[in-house]
Amino acid sequence: MSSISGSIKNLKPSHRKRLEKLSMQRMPARRVITQETARRLTELSFEIGRQIGILVDRKGNIHQVIMGDARSILIPKLYGWRSGLGRLRGLRLIHSHLKEEPLSQEDLTDLALLRLDLVAALGVDSEGLPTNLSIAHLLPDNPQGDVWQILDPIPPSQLDLDFSAFIRALEDEISRTVTGRQVKGRELAYLVAKSSGKDWEITDSLHELNELAGSCGVQVVGSAIQKRTLVDPHFVVGKGKLKEIVIDAQQKGADLLIFDAELSPAQVRSIANFTELRVIDRTQLILDIFAQRARSREGKIQVELAQLRYALPKLTEKDDALSRLTGGIGGRGPGETRLEIDRRRIQDRITFLEDQIKKLAKHRSLRRELRNRRGIPVISIVGYTNTGKSTLLNSLTKSSILAENKLFATLDPTSRRLRFPRETEAIITDTVGFLQDLPDALVAAFSATLDELADADLLLHVIDCSNPAFESQMSAVEKLLEKLEFSEIPVIRVFNKTDLVGEDIVRSVCERFYGIGVSALNSKTFPPLIARIEDELLRTISPPHDDNYENQRAAQPGVIS
């Protein structure tokens, strides 16, 4: 059913009736606009002195008449009309221009953001008659990067365009472009970064976000960076830049915007109201990865707890049924709203999960006490995500723990017994990888797992020396260890992936940072690391009372048996 929107309060009754008649007009499906409808539109617009627009569906029905001012019109929310990958809205906008001006930038932006079939501006002459019709339509993604095409102005009576056939062909071509990008079972995402730092810092941050998206099973189709000294309180990158981003993302077929920042609830709402694309931030992306990777009961509990803590402050949607009673007959007032019920349920669930984690922490504490009584030293492997920690553990202990070239491929901590060449034994544990600016919600949720580090006698800090940003990654890990108050535990820096860089670089890095260079895939590089581990354990743990112990220490270190 058609309707009239915009400012109609001060209209004459006669003008209102003519608008209602205009809204009941129907045109042939193959015509963009008929001469009769064009004339009614321009005559009425000329008499009232305002722009008038009509939204027409593909059957030729006028869905809505929009009253604007002398310079522009405001398109209302298009509820119920389709949108999605490779699809246009199914509506075209035709509106009058009182001064016969061409299509404005605002017209073209509405065309792109709303995914309209086309937008057209109808000129009005000095007698209120239609002059030329200016038309623009969207284009499929193309090497030139053009988003829309503007056709030459032409009088409506001379427009020879089969609209139905044209729009079907255009939408089919847009759909093929999107389908060609899409990978089965994967979402298409567009990355957004804001930084006031140096160019290389922005590039590293965006590269890491790209890897996080890949680890989550998302295909990245584009990205945008904006340098700003201050963060926009509503849109992070500014409204103008966000318009460009959304248009480019829709053109590339993306259905998801991922921001390289932690968005506030207000920012999520503002961006989501601005675009129909789904919006997530870096924290939610990491939580999604953790949810996919968690295998143990404890890991699943920790992930759910982090997700609930993240979602709680963002649970601010208005309840449409504020007067709904929940207390039964005789209750006073409106009772609890749906929003309050959801918040209470989340709080109850958080409390329950926190109790479960405390119980699991007690069990883990008992296991640690048992290990301590036996006098077995504990070594924990720490480091940035995807530096080869799990691969190193597999090689040292001849295990088969999952190890992939992905961020956070291993989430649940794993412990194995490690026997040294001189019959010394230790427990070696692989922990979850760290990340730059690891969100506090994740640190808090995984504190129980990271508490394992508190009882470690030695930390192996694994660093990917083939990564150009290894120094910033190393600094991020050490800052987090200091934040968790683990900086007093002895640390051996292990520079991994030496097979991917030159020997001179490895030697220089090891000397500079007092580390050991290894390749986790080559056990022949392990002897110096093994000897260093035994030396560090001797300094931190009282030697056992064994007559043969000194003889064992004098033996030459070799590979692990």
Side-chain angles (χ1 to χ4, degrees), residues 6 45 53 65 67 98 180 196 275 317 367 379 424 435 437 441 492:
S45 179
V65 177
M67 281 296 304
L98 296 174
S196 57
T275 174
E317 294 181 0
R367 292 198 300 270
I379 303 169
T424 307
L435 200 67
D437 302 321
I492 298 177

Side-chain angles (χ1 to χ4, degrees), residues 269-511:
R269 288 195 302 275
S270 297
I271 298 170
N273 290 334
F274 185 84
T275 174
E276 295 178 349
L277 301 177
R278 291 191 298 112
V279 179
I280 66 172
D281 59 13
R282 186 170 177 266
T283 302
Q284 188 171 347
L285 180 63
I286 296 172
L287 286 173
D288 287 344
I289 296 173
F290 280 15
Q292 294 176 20
R293 299 285 191 273
R295 293 293 180 267
S296 69
R297 178 167 174 262
E298 182 177 7
K300 291 177 181 178
I301 290 175
Q302 289 170 335
V303 169
E304 184 182 356
L305 180 59
Q307 289 175 325
L308 292 175
R309 284 174 171 165
Y310 172 83
L312 185 60
K314 293 178 172 57
L315 199 65
T316 56
E317 294 181 0
K318 292 182 180 180
D319 185 13
D320 294 332
L322 294 177
S323 61
R324 184 181 305 165
L325 295 176
T326 59
I329 297 175
R332 294 182 177 179
E336 283 185 299
T337 65
R338 172 55 53 189
L339 181 60
E340 290 167 341
I341 292 172
D342 291 341
R343 282 177 174 165
R344 178 166 50 80
R345 287 176 176 170
I346 289 180
Q347 288 284 14
D348 291 345
R349 184 64 179 171
I350 287 175
T351 303
F352 172 77
L353 293 176
E354 288 175 340
D355 290 341
Q356 293 296 308
I357 287 181
K358 289 178 182 177
K359 291 178 182 178
L360 291 171
K362 288 181 180 178
H363 294 162
R364 193 166 47 249
S365 177
L366 292 174
R367 292 198 300 270
R368 287 200 299 262
E369 288 179 8
L370 183 60
R371 285 201 303 258
N372 292 337
R373 281 197 223 106
R374 292 176 178 173
I376 301 177
V378 177
I379 303 169
S380 289
I381 301 178
V382 299
Y384 210 78
T385 180
N386 202 29
T387 55
K389 299 184 298 299
S390 298
T391 304
L392 180 62
L393 179 62
N394 283 337
S395 298
L396 286 171
T397 62
K398 295 181 172 58
S399 303
S400 56
I401 300 166
L402 175 67
E404 295 180 320
N405 187 23
K406 289 182 179 180
L407 302 188
F408 299 113
T410 304
L411 180 61
D412 297 315
T414 306
S415 298
R416 293 290 185 270
R417 188 179 292 269
L418 178 63
R419 185 182 294 275
F420 291 96
R422 286 160 286 183
E423 301 303 320
T424 307
E425 285 189 341
I427 298 296
I428 185 165
T429 302
D430 182 21
T431 58
V432 63
F434 294 175
L435 200 67
Q436 290 271 14
D437 302 321
L438 194 65
D440 291 338
L442 295 180
V443 176
F446 283 83
S447 59
T449 301
L450 296 174
D451 279 348
E452 288 275 4
L453 301 179
D455 293 314
D457 300 293
L458 179 65
L459 300 180
L460 296 185
H461 181 184
V462 180
I463 303 156
D464 178 6
C465 63
S466 67
N467 192 318
F470 80 89
E471 289 190 46
S472 62
Q473 293 181 354
M474 181 173 65
S475 175
V477 172
E478 292 176 353
K479 284 180 181 178
L480 186 54
L481 289 174
E482 185 176 351
K483 181 179 180 181
L484 296 170
E485 299 181 354
F486 298 147
S487 55
E488 298 298 321
I489 303 173
V491 178
I492 298 177
R493 289 172 175 163
V494 182
F495 291 95
N496 189 25
K497 305 185 183 182
T498 56
D499 53 316
L500 301 180
V501 295
E503 293 182 4
D504 293 340
I505 296 176
V506 174
R507 190 182 304 111
S508 173
V509 168
C510 290
E511 290 177 357

Side-chain angles (χ1 to χ4, degrees), residues 178-245:
V178 172
T179 305
R181 288 178 173 272
Q182 200 166 14
V183 178
K184 188 175 180 181
R186 300 181 71 180
E187 290 186 291
L188 305 180
Y190 195 95
L191 309 182
V192 183
K194 195 280 320 171
S195 178
S196 57
K198 300 176 182 177
D199 290 341
W200 63 269
E201 291 176 344
I202 303 173
T203 304
D204 288 345
S205 180
L206 200 59
H207 176 71
E208 185 172 88
L209 187 65
N210 197 335
E211 289 188 329
L212 285 169
S215 295
C216 196
V218 174
Q219 182 188 2
V220 176
V221 296
S223 62
I225 301 173
Q226 186 182 38
K227 284 189 175 182
R228 288 178 66 98
T229 54
L230 297 175
V231 175
D232 187 285
H234 299 293
F235 304 107
V236 181
V237 294
K239 190 171 183 179
K241 183 66 174 179
L242 185 60
K243 282 183 180 180
E244 297 176 12
I245 289 170

